[in-house]
Amino acid sequence: MNRVYLDYAATTPTHPDVVQAMLPFFGESFGNASSLYSYGREARAAITAARSSVARLIGADEDEIVFTGGGTEADNMALKGIAFAADGKYNHIITTSIEHHAVLGSCEFLENLGFHVTYLPVDKYGLVAPDDVRKAITDNTLVISVMHANNEVGTIQPIAEIGRIARDAGVYFHTDAVQTAGHVPIAVNDMGIDLLSVSAHKLYGPKGVGALFVRTGTRISPLIHGGAQERNRRAGTENLAGIVGFGTAAELARGTMTEEATVLGTLRDRLITGLLERIPEAQLNGHPTSRLPNNVNVSIDYVEGESMLLHLDMEGICASTGSACTSGSLEPSHVLLSMGLSHQLAHGSLRLSLGKWTTGEDVERVLETLQEIVSKLRAMSPLYKAPGRSAQ
Amino acid sequence: MSDEQPVYSEKVMEHFRNPRNVGEMESPDGIGHVGNPVCGDIMELYIRVVDHVITDARFKTFGCGAAIATSSMVTELVKGKTIEEALELSNRAVAEALGGLPPIKMHCSVLAEEALKSAIEDYLQKHPKPDSA
Ligand SMILES: Cc1ncc(COP(=O)(O)O)c(C=O)c1O
Ligand code: FES
């Protein structure tokens, strides 16, 4: 059975060109970038080239890119790094209730150290109101962290507007762009961004490598000490092949992003329309238009997400859910709850995220398969009242 | 979404794929209705009792793979048991019959045990004096 992978938001396959670009750096070009001799020079040159590719993708300067061990580390570095470098007076952080756990976990850690954190609410589409950001700013506010697009529901935030507010107030602005970099255009200068997190494996690069954009002049402490790598901002021998792969992926993305977004946007809309047409009592989660081109998130009432995923998996379809039953904490998705969904609807949430290798046939197959699965699960759901009598 | 996912046994998957005794029952002798306080799922269990013996059991469940598999297993296990025997059926026994459950899914088997207990209580309430024909 051909598998249909619809979880590109969790991770993407590494592009074959990226793999090819990485291979020499496990072999003949294995050097340590800190070494003086030829091997070291080759490694340094490769890292420099990758750095400029990543910088170009987001409209930054090479010197403003710090390579990290992924998106989670970039988020941690942004928040803790800024917090640790701040004067005591600046002890207030503004973020949102729908951030990735990498941001929320870092904020909670900082709260334990005495920082104050404001978690802004979102509306039913998952949108943050820029006005709420403005009102939350105090004399002690150090940094505002609002994600560019949400990984679960795909809602894209008014980042440029928030960036302007931050700039006017003289507050640092961080955005987690892990879901948008390489998929949606980013210009750090036009958008007023001071810090931005990226992860390679969400844009057809390898896992375990990412970057934090740090605007020149930003005061930030390193998280990892013990070496001069990354201009003293992140110690440790560089993940050479990973960084090269990241650079190649960024370069590829710059070339294909616009076209890919158009193609995926069409498939996404077909999938959304098809799902809502075929499955009664289902709803779209996230914003109808201000939305990642590859994200579909629906709640299907009366059924539970893990059961749907297991059935889809048996049919070779890979997807994701915000159901409590699949989370380690047995709590439903904090994102869906923040948007005002009931526990029951969060239970029945299903995320299908598309990518480079998704086809129209995949979309058809999911539509047909899911319809059957939902009927089967609804037939055994105590919450579902057999249709026919009530309007359908 | 990113947390480690439990791995189900063959037996769990088999019951999940082909759950036994799904659906409502015409005028059952006892109905159990319980909600899972841990994750918020819901289970309904119906029993038919003849001469103090459970002769049939059916269920409806809104929950995860483990919840569906344990519901299915519990309906299989109680058939033919007397009320007293059925009351002794523990969630561990149900889990064992399924070849074990991942630790994070043990609470789903508790739900199945409670659904059964609640169905029996309902039966006993409606039939204060078990007929001894
Ligand atoms: C919005 C967002 N932030 C951060 C991360 C973490 O990135 P990484 O997997 O590279 O640590 C992810 C991906 O899981 C994400 O979707
Ligand atoms: S029913 Fe929710 S985890 Fe099993």
Side-chain angles (χ1 to χ4, degrees):
Chain A
M1 178 169 43
N2 274 343
R3 283 188 292 182
V4 176
Y5 183 75
L6 289 174
D7 207 11
Y8 282 83
T11 192
T12 59
T14 311
H15 195 290
D17 294 355
V18 170
V19 175
Q20 282 308 313
M22 290 171 73
L23 286 177
F25 295 91
F26 294 108
E28 70 259 33
S29 305
F30 62 89
N32 184 323
S34 302
S35 304
L36 188 80
Y37 42 75
S38 58
Y39 284 110
R41 283 196 300 274
E42 286 165 25
R44 267 198 306 283
I47 290 175
T48 303
R51 198 184 303 283
S52 67
S53 297
V54 173
R56 266 200 301 275
L57 183 67
I58 57 170
D61 269 356
E62 258 172 57
D63 291 350
E64 296 174 313
I65 301 297
V66 180
F67 285 117
T68 67
T72 301
E73 187 188 323
D75 284 342
N76 272 263
M77 182 176 172
L79 290 157
K80 295 180 196 168
I82 289 291
F84 294 161
D87 298 333
K89 179 192 166 204
Y90 294 100
N91 63 354
H92 178 230
I93 296 168
I94 299 171
T95 187
T96 80
S97 53
I98 60 160
E99 297 296 312
H100 189 271
H101 286 296
V103 166
L104 293 179
S106 298
C107 285
E108 276 161 35
F109 173 77
L110 290 169
E111 278 182 296
N112 289 334
L113 295 185
F115 283 84
H116 300 283
V117 182
T118 302
Y119 299 91
L120 296 175
V122 293
D123 69 9
K124 63 177 177 176
Y125 298 121
L127 273 180
V128 177
D131 217 41
D132 286 351
V133 178
R134 194 194 323 272
K135 287 183 196 142
I137 297 173
T138 71
D139 289 345
N140 305 322
T141 306
L142 172 66
V143 59
I144 297 167
S145 180
V146 176
M147 70 200 316
H148 191 187
N150 182 268
N151 46 304
E152 292 185 38
V153 297
T155 301
I156 300 176
Q157 302 296 341
I159 287 303
E161 211 177 328
I162 297 170
R164 253 192 316 276
I165 292 167
R167 186 142 300 178
D168 288 349
V171 174
Y172 287 130
F173 180 39
H174 166 248
T175 189
D176 175 338
V178 167
Q179 290 291 333
T180 48
H183 303 285
V184 171
I186 294 175
V188 287
N189 293 336
D190 298 345
M191 293 168 134
I193 298 163
D194 300 308
L195 301 130
L196 176 141
S197 308
V198 191
S199 178
H201 75 102
K202 310 284 186 178
L203 49 119
Y204 311 105
K207 294 169 187 56
V209 56
L212 182 66
F213 155 76
V214 183
R215 178 172 298 287
T216 304
T218 305
R219 287 185 59 194
I220 188 162
S221 291
L223 290 190
I224 300 176
H225 302 91
Q229 291 90 349
E230 298 300 292
R231 302 171 75 218
N232 290 309
R233 286 172 166 184
R234 207 264 190 181
T237 301
E238 299 85 347
N239 174 4
L240 176 59
I243 288 171
V244 167
F246 186 10
T248 309
E251 206 55 50
L252 285 173
R254 221 159 46 88
T256 55
M257 179 161 64
T258 315
E259 197 194 325
E260 191 173 306
T262 312
V263 174
L264 292 184
T266 310
L267 288 174
R268 171 197 68 188
D269 293 341
R270 255 169 68 190
L271 188 49
I272 293 174
T273 313
L275 284 171
L276 299 182
E277 268 172 16
R278 288 176 190 229
I279 303 176
E281 297 183 84
Q283 67 170 57
L284 178 70
N285 296 322
H287 200 279
T289 52
S290 184
R291 179 176 200 101
L292 284 173
N294 74 330
N295 174 288
V296 175
N297 189 312
V298 288
S299 273
I300 300 174
D301 210 355
Y302 317 116
V303 298
E304 187 282 320
E306 187 196 280
S307 295
M308 276 195 281
L309 292 197
L310 290 171
H311 275 292
L312 284 167
D313 184 36
M314 290 191 271
E315 302 298 326
I317 298 168
C318 311
S320 156
T321 174
S323 166
C325 300
T326 57
S327 78
S329 61
L330 295 170
E331 287 288 327
S333 146
H334 65 286
V335 176
L336 298 175
L337 294 188
S338 296
M339 287 161 54
L341 264 75
S342 64
H343 278 232
Q344 188 175 320
L345 281 174
H347 253 89
S349 69
L350 184 70
R351 180 186 72 182
L352 301 159
S353 46
L354 327 184
K356 225 183 249 306
W357 291 283
T358 306
T359 65
E361 279 163 42
D362 293 343
V363 168
E364 283 311 310
R365 190 159 135 201
V366 170
L367 286 174
E368 274 164 34
T369 312
L370 193 63
Q371 193 175 15
E372 281 169 33
I373 292 172
V374 170
S375 316
K376 197 166 163 178
L377 289 173
R378 278 184 173 170
M380 69 169 88
S381 169
L383 299 169
Y384 188 62
K385 295 304 162 216
R389 270 145 270 172
S390 56
Q392 221 202 111
Chain B
M1 282 195 178
S2 57
D3 297 287
E4 270 182 51
Q5 297 299 314
V7 179
Y8 290 134
S9 70
E10 274 299 311
K11 192 96 190 177
V12 170
M13 284 311 291
E14 205 274 309
H15 272 261
F16 173 72
R17 230 175 269 133
N18 305 300
R20 327 289 200 265
N21 313 308
V22 180
E24 278 164 50
M25 185 185 279
E26 285 272 313
S27 51
D29 296 311
I31 303 179
H33 180 103
V34 290
N36 190 336
V38 183
C39 63
D41 294 330
I42 294 169
M43 205 177 276
E44 255 174 34
L45 202 125
Y46 321 91
I47 51 171
R48 169 104 50 241
V49 184
V50 179
D51 294 347
H52 216 55
V53 172
I54 298 177
T55 57
D56 196 10
R58 299 182 72 75
F59 79 93
K60 278 193 154 189
T61 291
F62 165 71
C64 73
I68 291 173
T70 50
S71 316
S72 165
M73 183 51 92
V74 91
T75 57
E76 286 286 273
L77 290 176
V78 293
K79 278 197 220 171
K81 283 197 177 9
T82 63
I83 294 293
E84 286 74 21
E85 287 168 346
L87 279 170
E88 276 170 24
L89 188 64
S90 71
N91 74 300
R92 298 207 161 269
V94 179
E96 267 165 38
L98 284 166
L101 284 173
I104 195 169
K105 294 291 184 178
M106 279 308 283
H107 69 99
C108 317
S109 65
V110 173
L111 189 64
E113 178 189 321
E114 284 172 356
L116 174 63
K117 297 233 155 91
S118 143
I120 293 175
E121 263 167 42
D122 180 53
Y123 164 75
L124 291 175
Q125 238 166 35
K126 288 178 187 156
H127 305 78
K129 276 182 216 152
D131 40 89
S132 46

